[in-house]
Amino acid sequence: MNSVLVSVGAALPKKCVLNSELPAHLDTSDEWIVQRTGIHQRYIAGEDETTVSLATAAAENALSKGNIPPREVDLIIVCTATGDYTFPASATLVQRNLGITSGVAFDISAACSGFIYGLKTADCFIRTGQARCALVIGAETFSRIVDWNDRSTCVLFGDGAGAVVLKASECDDKGLVYCKIHADGSLANLLTTTGGVSISQNSGFVKMNGREVFRNAVEKMHCSLCDLLKANNMTVNDVDLLVPHQANKRIIDNIVEMSGLNPEKVVITLDKHANTSAASIPLALNEVSLDSCKNVVLLSMGAGFTWGEALLKL
Ligand code: ACO
């Protein structure tokens, strides 16, 4: 049994904020942000938009593109660090919004690596016969947990959601043929929040050591790519599309240069979306045509540290 990708969907908040439209008190500039990160704009959730509303819209989009009735879905995973409530899980609220009353629904917290953690988890459910049709959604409203007085973090993030539908298939040479996830909690302090429910009774704000996060992201995602290629008897020439986590263009450029991959095969959406954490990979997948692709590689790295790599054969 294997998990095949059936469809991809996405949803963005209505409001788009250009670098030049960021609050004046931040003392930043379009030039600094573009040069250091590649980000030109981000979408910011309005009062009527939340992680769950974006996740629901992305899920509906993916289901409609795949022509899949919601009642077929028996597993919903929402990958997020910015759920609507402490509980219930955002996934159960998406389930309710879709009118589904059976199956399994839960959230995964692995920060920017959440989506690959979600894919791996859904794949395990499918391979072991516990699910046949899974919605894996990355959805975030990081604009609600950044400190809008801290220019070193708030300019980097955006809000949005992306979703994929995975279905059980007997076809072993297609679908999620390889997926590995990793964690190293000794690096937790490099990227964290200033608070949390049990520590401060609030979510706190994003806090990070930018340089160390940058260095680790390049190193870990490059290693992930090399391991994936080796394990699947592939070279970079066999990769049709690389969809890396969209945090910083310079991180991606470094990985591409170190691996010798043709930069034209790399999907970049951070210029439009900024870093949407767990939503970044499915949002990026939604932007490209997968029609002529055979081998699609996904790479992620996030707080924890957590990281992961996946090979989708289409
Ligand atoms: N506008 C203008 N100046 C700024 C801004 C800003 N928004 N932010 C910081 N600066 C200033 C700093 O104060 C510093 O000034 P100083 O030299 O007078 O002290 C100067 O710019 C350089 O700051 P650095 O932090 O050294 O800049 P750097 O080149 O490392 O870039 C950045 C910072 C973009 C955060 C980079 O380290 C980075 O991208 N790190 C990766 C972090 C990341 O992507 N995290 C996302 C979550 S994790 C993940 O998704 C993988």
Side-chain angles (χ1 to χ4, degrees), residues 14 45-50 53-54 144:
K14 292 184 277 294
E47 272 177 25
D48 58 336
E49 293 167 318
T50 69
S53 74
L54 293 166
R144 307 246 157 93

Side-chain angles (χ1 to χ4, degrees), residues 28 32 36 112 151-152 191 208 210-211 245 247-248 275 301:
T28 187
W32 191 95
R36 302 286 176 122
C112 301
R151 66 178 182 175
S152 69
L191 178 55
M208 71 172 175
R211 288 203 175 167
H245 169 51
N248 185 320
N275 182 350
M301 137 91 197

Side-chain angles (χ1 to χ4, degrees), residues 25-286:
H25 72 262
L26 283 176
D27 189 21
T28 187
S29 65
D30 179 55
E31 191 193 359
W32 191 95
I33 300 170
V34 172
Q35 203 178 68
R36 302 286 176 122
T37 71
I39 295 166
H40 290 258
Q41 61 176 50
R42 76 281 299 134
Y43 290 84
I44 303 284
E47 272 177 25
D48 58 336
E49 293 167 318
T50 69
T51 291
V52 168
S53 74
L54 293 166
T56 303
E60 285 170 341
N61 185 229
L63 290 172
S64 116
K65 278 158 81 179
N67 213 7
I68 301 153
R71 65 171 185 281
E72 260 192 50
V73 175
D74 53 7
L75 171 65
I76 301 176
I77 301 177
V78 174
C79 315
T80 188
T82 50
D84 279 22
Y85 297 99
T86 303
F87 65 83
S90 293
T92 59
L93 302 177
V94 171
Q95 188 198 35
R96 180 180 69 185
N97 291 345
L98 295 174
I100 303 169
T101 54
S102 62
V104 179
F106 57 89
D107 292 355
I108 282 186
S109 168
C112 301
S113 298
F115 183 70
I116 293 189
Y117 268 63
L119 281 183
K120 179 73 189 177
T121 308
D123 188 48
C124 289
F125 270 71
I126 287 174
R127 281 178 191 269
T128 53
Q130 297 175 83
R132 293 200 59 82
C133 181
L135 257 174
V136 182
I137 307 164
E140 304 276 17
T141 45
F142 258 59
S143 67
R144 307 246 157 93
I145 60 158
V146 291
D147 176 355
W148 282 100
N149 290 311
D150 176 9
R151 66 178 182 175
S152 69
T153 50
C154 71
V155 304
L156 305 174
F157 295 94
D159 303 333
V164 299
V165 178
L166 296 178
K167 273 193 178 180
S169 161
E170 304 291 342
C171 178
D172 277 346
D173 57 347
K174 281 212 168 139
L176 194 66
V177 296
Y178 181 89
C179 187
K180 284 215 159 170
I181 49 178
H182 320 267
D184 178 358
S186 71
L187 301 167
N189 287 346
L190 295 175
L191 178 55
T192 178
T193 52
T194 53
V197 179
S198 189
I199 292 280
S200 60
Q201 296 82 57
N202 58 37
S203 60
F205 294 121
V206 176
K207 189 185 87 173
M208 71 172 175
N209 178 332
R211 288 203 175 167
E212 278 304 302
V213 173
F214 191 105
R215 198 179 60 73
N216 274 281
V218 172
E219 185 191 300
K220 294 200 161 39
M221 290 204 283
H222 176 246
C223 263
S224 280
L225 176 59
C226 294
D227 290 350
L228 178 147
L229 294 175
K230 195 168 168 210
N232 291 282
N233 261 329
M234 289 165 64
T235 73
V236 278
N237 299 328
D238 300 313
V239 177
D240 296 310
L241 210 59
L242 175 71
V243 188
H245 169 51
Q246 308 283 313
N248 185 320
K249 175 80 163 45
R250 283 160 54 222
I251 292 177
I252 297 172
D253 287 347
N254 270 280
I255 296 163
V256 170
E257 200 183 310
M258 285 159 81
S259 64
L261 185 75
N262 177 351
E264 284 175 14
K265 294 178 172 179
V266 184
V267 182
I268 302 287
T269 51
L270 59 87
D271 53 337
K272 289 192 282 188
H273 302 154
N275 182 350
T276 56
S277 190
S280 91
I281 291 178
L283 267 171
L285 265 179
N286 185 63

